[in-house]
Amino acid sequence: MSETIRIKGRAEWPGKVTAEALVSPIPIEGFANVDDVHGYITERYHPLFKIPYEGKILVFPSPRGSGGFMKFGTGKIPAAYVHRRGNTLSDACIMCARVPAMTDFETDPLSVIETGDTVFVNADEGYIEITKKEK
Amino acid sequence: MYLSDDEKRLLDGAEGFVRQRCMAYLVELATVSGAERMVDLDGTTDFHVPTTALVPEYLFPIEELRKIVDEGAVFKAPTFANKAPFYGATFVDGWEGCAYPPHNDPAHHAKAMQPDWMELYVRMGLITTYSCASYLASSYWPSVGQHCAWNESSAVPYCNAVLGGRSNIDGSFASSFLAKAPYSGMHVPENRLATVVIDTERLIQTDVEWDVLGFAVGEECGLDVPALIHTAKPTTTQYQKFNTAANTGGSIAMYHVPGATPEAPTLEWALGGKKPAREVRFDEAHLKKTYEKLNDHRGDTVEMVSLGCPHYNLVDLMLLSRKLKGKKVKVPVWIMTVPALYHTAEQLGYKKIFEDAGAVLLSGTCPAAIAGVPGGIRALAVDAAKQAYYISGLFPEADDHLDVFYGTQDDCVDAALTGVWRGEWR
């Protein structure tokens, strides 16, 4: 059985969900650089260009760009948000999506989670649990 | 979370349905952001009209708004309109000549301006600046230390860094109506101190240098507050450009230019007497690479030019009028400004100069906000990092590609007159 890693953090929106992680190594941008009908990033040359995030745990360092960041929380949405840092851009996005969300972790989640890992987000009890994918 | 007795009354619904929804929205925003209390706003606000809430849960119908307006409700904060009414975001002025259906159709224009909503909002005191750069046209700037709630990302650093007001990207109907916001982010004095020092190999002094620096600083700093050292003193245009680009490359609500911005007479002051978390120096290669990232084109043919992101101020329009006087453009040229400045530009004769050259002066929106360019256009030149970055994201399909050219206002004028791009990082 694979090892699981638990990291404590601050819950932004309550709830529990387990899903596969989709990790953006760089900040993500909403408004015209995301397509919420398809649920993917349209920013040219972005590492997650056109990779659907619906139903995934969307893991990213921080939001960037305009107030249209909230489009990550409308239309096709992730199962949960896990991010290193946030501001009012991610706050409004999470309020639109109303799915579990966490930030301000004791260990940087981006140093642990890779795309394809299984992540249990337990925002009710303030931690995430990562099961690494089989290599 | 601490709530005052008045805030609890609003939340309990004692002051009616709309005020209850507004207070509930602010409490939810505060909870998500980790704020422990509200701050009463003594400055200005803006929001995307006519949306009563950007979060669907908190939308309410026009009938509810009409009810409270008929009872005499007004915005508690001086409130401005961020761009033309959403989600159409059509041109406020100049639309007759834009050659971009349906925006040049009088019936479309009348409807897109959302007259039913706007009549009510104006009765509540909304000042219809309809611009991403409302601060260029509003006579009620915040003074140093005033708490605001602005929603336009490109304008928020103008509030914080340039004017010394205090705002997150949190302008909404709720914050405008109740003059309240969660006490978090840039409302908290210690969060406004610089933690990163940015230096550059070249002296940053031209408009395009400030724009490219803004994008690079945004990418480098993310959500951090930078202090920029060894730059020339920025002009209003350059502050606008830096702010807009920094909130595209990253999410920079606040920065300091020691000796120029009001909260940083010195670098030590900007840092609050502490050591910076890191010091970064951008060399020539880094800025050139950033400039080139904003250019994404296969050829050198330009089919359209769009200028004014954020909306041009009067000096930008004056300088552009000198460059276009007596000339003829070869491709469609859109010049974006603030509605109030559109009329001043008309009085000053700039609009006529633009028209005689074949260019169109427009107000209140931009290609990215409208979400497109006229049909058939496959190559667009712009003079703003933000516009370049967002317009390219609207054309992600290989078979629907838009060439995007980015450079100086001079490069764009040259492209407008010749149809060919000759801009480069100089």
Side-chain angles (χ1 to χ4, degrees):
Chain A
M1 203 174 133
S2 299
E3 174 198 9
T4 60
I5 302 154
R6 184 183 282 212
I7 310 175
K8 286 184 199 164
R10 180 174 74 81
E12 299 169 287
W13 196 272
K16 298 177 191 178
V17 65
T18 301
E20 191 181 307
L22 178 65
V23 181
S24 175
I26 64 169
I28 57 176
E29 179 150 35
F31 186 27
N33 280 322
V34 65
D35 176 341
D36 64 350
V37 175
H38 293 95
Y40 56 55
I41 284 169
T42 61
E43 180 180 342
R44 294 180 190 177
Y45 312 114
H46 193 281
L48 299 192
F49 180 73
K50 283 188 156 183
I51 301 175
Y53 52 67
E54 186 184 23
K56 302 280 175 69
I57 309 290
L58 185 58
V59 183
F60 60 99
S62 56
R64 63 189 260 252
S66 106
F69 186 85
M70 68 182 54
K71 279 175 72 184
F72 280 105
T74 59
K76 290 194 170 164
I77 60 171
Y81 304 91
V82 167
H83 56 117
R84 187 187 291 152
R85 291 175 66 189
N87 62 9
T88 46
L89 297 178
S90 45
D91 296 343
C93 166
I94 291 161
M95 287 166 69
C96 285
R98 309 182 95 69
V99 297
M102 290 187 64
T103 189
D104 299 338
F105 292 94
E106 59 182 8
T107 301
D108 180 6
L110 280 106
S111 68
V112 179
I113 309 173
E114 295 169 277
T115 292
D117 291 350
T118 301
V119 180
F120 171 46
V121 178
N122 186 342
D124 290 342
E125 292 171 57
Y127 67 85
I128 56 172
E129 219 161 56
I130 301 118
T131 307
K132 300 300 291 180
K133 67 184 168 190
E134 299 293 336
K135 298 276 182 185
Chain B
M1 184 186 317
Y2 168 80
L3 292 178
S4 69
D5 290 344
D6 284 348
E7 288 162 352
K8 283 182 197 154
R9 273 177 57 79
L10 289 164
L11 190 61
D12 290 346
E15 304 291 332
F17 173 74
V18 171
R19 287 174 180 83
Q20 194 281 333
R21 296 313 290 155
C22 290
M23 197 64 222
Y25 168 83
L26 293 172
V27 168
E28 188 170 289
L29 180 63
T31 304
V32 175
S33 69
E36 291 174 354
R37 67 174 177 90
M38 297 291 156
V39 58
D40 287 326
L41 305 178
D42 50 1
T44 53
T45 63
D46 77 78
F47 72 102
H48 281 302
V49 293
T51 38
T52 53
L54 286 168
V55 174
E57 179 79 9
Y58 293 95
L59 285 169
F60 56 82
I62 194 168
E63 291 72 28
E64 293 291 344
L65 185 71
R66 186 171 290 117
K67 216 183 287 175
I68 61 164
V69 174
D70 286 343
E71 289 164 7
V74 295
F75 288 115
K76 201 166 175 190
T79 302
F80 301 91
N82 181 350
K83 295 193 271 287
F86 268 37
Y87 286 95
T90 198
F91 307 99
V92 175
D93 304 286
W95 52 273
E96 301 90 336
C98 72
Y100 185 17
H103 298 281
N104 53 354
D105 171 2
H108 173 85
H109 183 264
K111 195 172 168 213
M113 292 306 290
Q114 306 273 4
D116 293 352
W117 285 97
M118 297 317 301
E119 188 251 330
L120 295 173
Y121 282 148
V122 169
R123 281 170 64 193
M124 292 180 74
L126 179 81
I127 299 167
T128 53
T129 38
Y130 292 137
S131 179
C132 56
S134 290
Y135 54 85
L136 290 174
S138 50
S139 56
Y140 198 89
W141 279 5
S143 54
V144 171
Q146 279 193 315
H147 291 279
C148 301
W150 292 14
N151 196 57
E152 168 57 43
S153 62
S154 67
V156 163
Y158 207 93
C159 181
N160 285 308
V162 183
L163 300 176
R166 297 177 181 184
S167 182
N168 296 314
I169 302 175
D170 60 358
S172 62
F173 176 88
S175 55
S176 304
F177 187 38
L178 301 183
K180 287 182 188 296
Y183 184 67
S184 65
M186 292 305 117
H187 291 293
V188 183
E190 51 267 35
N191 293 345
R192 302 169 64 83
L193 297 170
T195 56
V196 184
V197 175
I198 302 280
D199 198 356
T200 47
E201 184 177 351
R202 92 161 49 190
L203 176 68
I204 301 297
Q205 54 186 342
T206 68
D207 294 356
V208 74
E209 286 168 346
W210 277 102
D211 205 32
V212 169
L213 177 68
F215 198 87
V217 166
E219 287 194 311
E220 172 64 36
C221 295
L223 275 58
D224 291 336
V225 176
L228 317 175
I229 59 168
H230 303 144
T231 68
K233 192 176 288 183
T235 64
T236 290
T237 294
Q238 292 164 355
Y239 275 130
Q240 287 189 260
K241 284 196 164 289
F242 179 86
N243 297 341
T244 305
N247 257 338
T248 308
S251 194
I252 307 291
M254 174 67 177
Y255 62 92
H256 303 271
V257 184
T261 51
E263 293 182 39
T266 63
L267 177 60
E268 289 68 31
W269 196 292
L271 293 162
K274 295 180 189 143
K275 276 180 78 98
R278 61 186 197 280
E279 297 176 65
V280 179
R281 186 166 184 267
F282 291 143
D283 61 15
E284 273 301 289
H286 188 91
L287 292 182
K288 185 168 190 280
K289 198 174 149 200
T290 305
Y291 172 89
E292 285 170 355
K293 187 186 300 184
L294 295 162
N295 271 280
D296 191 29
H297 47 87
R298 296 160 177 173
D300 63 359
T301 302
V302 172
E303 297 176 353
M304 180 175 169
V305 175
S306 181
L307 303 169
C309 167
H311 289 156
Y312 266 174
N313 62 49
L314 279 172
V315 175
D316 298 326
L317 293 171
M318 180 270 288
L319 294 172
L320 181 64
S321 75
R322 284 185 192 160
K323 294 170 191 171
L324 287 177
K325 191 167 188 179
K327 307 276 178 57
K328 281 281 177 203
V329 297
K330 278 194 173 170
V331 300
V333 177
W334 287 359
I335 304 157
M336 303 291 157
T337 191
V338 186
L341 305 186
Y342 178 96
H343 300 290
T344 309
E346 193 168 21
Q347 288 159 11
L348 288 164
Y350 306 154
K351 181 175 171 246
K352 176 79 166 51
I353 291 169
F354 299 146
E355 278 172 5
D356 289 349
V360 192
L361 182 65
L362 298 155
S363 83
T365 189
C366 67
I370 286 185
V373 289
I377 298 292
R378 284 287 163 267
L380 178 73
V382 298
D383 67 341
K386 176 173 183 173
Q387 196 68 214
Y389 221 65
Y390 281 117
I391 201 72
S392 63
L394 287 167
F395 294 87
E397 306 301 332
D399 59 358
D400 183 35
H401 187 80
L402 180 77
D403 269 0
V404 177
F405 300 85
Y406 162 72
T408 65
Q409 189 192 68
D410 281 348
D411 292 333
C412 290
V413 168
D414 180 63
L417 297 173
T418 64
V420 176
W421 186 255
R422 290 186 289 200
E424 60 182 355
W425 182 245
R426 295 183 181 91

